[in-house]
Amino acid sequence: MYYGAIEAGGTKFVCAVSDSNLNIVEKINIPTTEPKDTMKEVFRFFNNYSLQSIGIGSFGPIDVNKESKKYGYITTTPKKGWSDFDFVGFVQNQFDIPIAWTTDVNASAYGEYKLGGAHRANSCLYLTVGTGIGGGAIINDGILEGFGHPEMGHILIRKHPEDNFDGNCPFHSNCLEGLASGPAIEKRIQNKANSLKEDDPYWNIESYYLAQALVNYTFILRPEVIILGGGVMDQKHLFPKIRKEYKNLMKDYVNTLDLDEFIIEPGLNGDQGLMGCLLLAKDEINK
Ligand code: ADP
Ligand code: ZN
């Protein structure tokens, strides 16, 4: 028997099938186009296997409230065709098996917590800094969700005095995502983010924003480990810069692990979302 995983991103879907020990037996990438076309490819892939359950980690915002009529839907995304898409319903219609449903970053947090950089910790937070900024937290052995899922990318932070960019979040302009996501960097510098040299002074501003966010998350959630992923964090030199800013802002007010062990890279090397989905698929059977 197999488990299925769908890591649904705005650019591509990554799907995988694992055996009952969560060893991946096959994995594919499918471009995110219109729901019907993308899902057709997803179903074609899964149809080769006898699946027990499926775990979905989706781009958002999504409805995760089991009491809601729109549970399982992607809600207000600007992505053409996907707004108000009944994702879980569509999959359930094809495969009448248990389906786990959460955000892409919650799945990544869960993957890292169980099998990755936080596997020895009792709690963790995962933040992606890419096309958007989003975070998920594992507290008390489970994914943190309230009335909806967290929206950690849209927190409000202080502007850096040397930053003249107004921000590009369509809702809040200068929230964290509006100031520090990949597209925010690119709009600010009018160039690709990866064109900036390691010693470009902009990276200190980026680190200041991300460190503020991590200080806020620490105060509210007290995670044991914070994992930073996403395209922007491919700039590995950001890690020491963020730790330094974090220390400046935190002023030793709360205890954390040594910062080199507290603010870390993903341990699963890009597979954190998929592994999280597979783990959630397995949990769905063991419930
Ligand atoms: P997504 O968020 O769509 O899942 P990524 O996490 O790869 O995908 O994020 C893509 C964004 O990250 C791009 O908008 C780009 O600005 C930024 N990015 C990608 N690679 C790099 C890099 N090496 N250095 C800095 N920024 C990068
Ligand atoms: Zn915002």
Side-chain angles (χ1 to χ4, degrees), residues 114-264:
K114 289 283 187 188
L115 302 170
H119 76 276
R120 282 196 201 87
N122 290 309
S123 58
C124 78
L125 187 145
Y126 180 89
L127 192 76
T128 184
V129 188
T131 308
I133 297 185
I138 309 298
I139 307 284
N140 297 331
D141 229 28
I143 290 172
L144 182 78
E145 270 166 5
F147 187 60
H149 55 79
E151 286 285 1
M152 298 195 196
H154 294 273
I155 61 167
L156 308 178
I157 53 170
R158 287 181 204 150
K159 277 290 288 285
H160 191 287
E162 283 156 36
D163 186 10
N164 297 320
F165 181 59
D166 289 333
N168 73 342
C169 173
F171 295 92
H172 321 106
S173 300
N174 58 8
C175 65
L176 176 67
E177 179 172 296
L179 291 170
S181 65
I185 299 172
E186 298 186 347
K187 191 161 180 210
R188 183 189 278 104
I189 65 167
Q190 294 290 309
N191 205 341
K192 289 275 170 211
N194 64 9
S195 71
L196 288 175
K197 296 257 154 39
E198 210 175 298
D199 61 357
D200 192 286
Y202 174 71
W203 292 124
N204 295 327
I205 297 177
E206 179 76 11
S207 303
Y208 176 69
Y209 291 144
L210 294 174
Q212 282 189 65
L214 302 195
V215 165
N216 289 337
Y217 305 145
T218 305
F219 285 145
I220 296 170
L221 298 170
R222 299 301 308 273
E224 193 173 327
V225 172
I226 294 179
I227 295 144
L228 300 179
V232 175
M233 294 311 303
D234 285 347
Q235 302 281 333
K236 301 294 178 211
H237 59 89
L238 281 175
F239 281 90
K241 293 187 175 96
I242 292 167
R243 291 185 191 114
K244 191 171 145 219
E245 292 286 353
Y246 180 96
K247 192 169 164 50
N248 287 341
L249 291 163
M250 178 51 86
K251 313 264 185 237
D252 292 327
Y253 185 70
V254 300
N255 289 335
T256 62
L257 295 177
D258 182 275
L259 292 188
D260 289 337
E261 295 166 49
F262 177 59
I263 300 171
I264 60 170

Side-chain angles (χ1 to χ4, degrees), residues 17-210:
V17 167
S18 82
D19 64 19
S20 52
N21 295 319
L22 301 188
N23 299 306
I24 292 178
V25 292
E26 196 178 349
K27 175 170 147 180
I28 56 159
N29 288 353
I30 297 165
T32 311
T33 54
E34 298 270 336
K36 274 210 180 83
D37 299 334
T38 304
M39 297 312 291
K40 200 167 123 190
E41 294 305 311
V42 172
F43 294 161
R44 196 206 302 271
F45 173 65
F46 285 145
N47 274 335
N48 298 327
Y49 296 91
S50 166
L51 298 181
Q52 289 194 82
S53 58
I54 297 175
I56 306 173
S58 174
F59 72 95
I62 66 175
D63 194 332
V64 292
N65 179 357
K66 289 214 159 102
E67 308 300 314
S68 162
K69 272 195 240 146
K70 299 244 162 141
Y71 172 80
Y73 280 60
I74 296 182
T75 59
T76 53
T77 177
K79 189 136 187 80
K80 193 171 161 276
W82 293 88
S83 175
D84 225 28
F85 174 59
D86 180 8
F87 201 142
V88 171
F90 202 83
V91 176
Q92 193 86 70
N93 206 27
Q94 180 79 10
F95 302 105
D96 191 16
I97 53 176
I99 295 172
W101 169 246
T102 194
T103 62
D104 45 6
V105 279
N106 279 343
S108 292
Y110 199 54
E112 285 292 317
Y113 173 71
K114 289 283 187 188
L115 302 170
H119 76 276
R120 282 196 201 87
N122 290 309
S123 58
C124 78
L125 187 145
Y126 180 89
L127 192 76
T128 184
V129 188
T131 308
I133 297 185
I138 309 298
I139 307 284
N140 297 331
D141 229 28
I143 290 172
L144 182 78
E145 270 166 5
F147 187 60
H149 55 79
E151 286 285 1
M152 298 195 196
H154 294 273
I155 61 167
L156 308 178
I157 53 170
R158 287 181 204 150
K159 277 290 288 285
H160 191 287
E162 283 156 36
D163 186 10
N164 297 320
F165 181 59
D166 289 333
N168 73 342
C169 173
F171 295 92
H172 321 106
S173 300
N174 58 8
C175 65
L176 176 67
E177 179 172 296
L179 291 170
S181 65
I185 299 172
E186 298 186 347
K187 191 161 180 210
R188 183 189 278 104
I189 65 167
Q190 294 290 309
N191 205 341
K192 289 275 170 211
N194 64 9
S195 71
L196 288 175
K197 296 257 154 39
E198 210 175 298
D199 61 357
D200 192 286
Y202 174 71
W203 292 124
N204 295 327
I205 297 177
E206 179 76 11
S207 303
Y208 176 69
Y209 291 144
L210 294 174

